[in-house]
Amino acid sequence: EVFMLGGPREAYDQLEPYISPIASIGHVGNEAGCAHYAHMIQRVIENGITQSVAEGSHILSRAAGYEHQDIGRMIHKWNAGGGRLSSY
């Protein structure tokens, strides 16, 4: 899980012992709204990547004639073993 916290460093220092065991990344900002903004940008990027994968699979299915099972195996192969999509 990613936690992006806004506010003073002192507040983060108090919460850090509880957050670090369950978080892969911690981020401290100076303004209360910066964490929300950073999280929103992260979601926009993730949704854009998801949309790209969906459109790519649609093209493979309709234009190239791939079966859905073949597309699924291809995406699974990309994701396996640290492949191109391993972070998703």
Side-chain angles (χ1 to χ4, degrees), residues 26-78:
H27 173 74
V28 178
N30 295 328
E31 299 178 20
C34 72
H36 174 73
Y37 182 74
H39 189 69
M40 180 183 68
I41 297 299
Q42 174 195 0
R43 292 291 186 207
V44 167
I45 292 168
E46 289 176 352
N47 289 338
I49 292 169
T50 301
Q51 183 68 30
S52 298
V53 171
E55 290 180 13
S57 64
H58 179 77
I59 290 170
L60 287 172
S61 173
R62 296 293 177 120
Y66 280 74
E67 297 291 326
H68 293 292
Q69 295 83 0
D70 296 330
I71 297 169
R73 281 192 287 271
M74 184 185 315
I75 291 173
H76 179 74
K77 184 179 175 183
W78 288 346

Side-chain angles (χ1 to χ4, degrees), residues 5 8-21 28:
L5 307 172
R9 180 68 192 198
E10 297 80 29
Y12 176 80
D13 291 339
Q14 289 179 352
L15 294 173
E16 194 270 334
Y18 304 102
I19 294 172
S20 61
V28 178

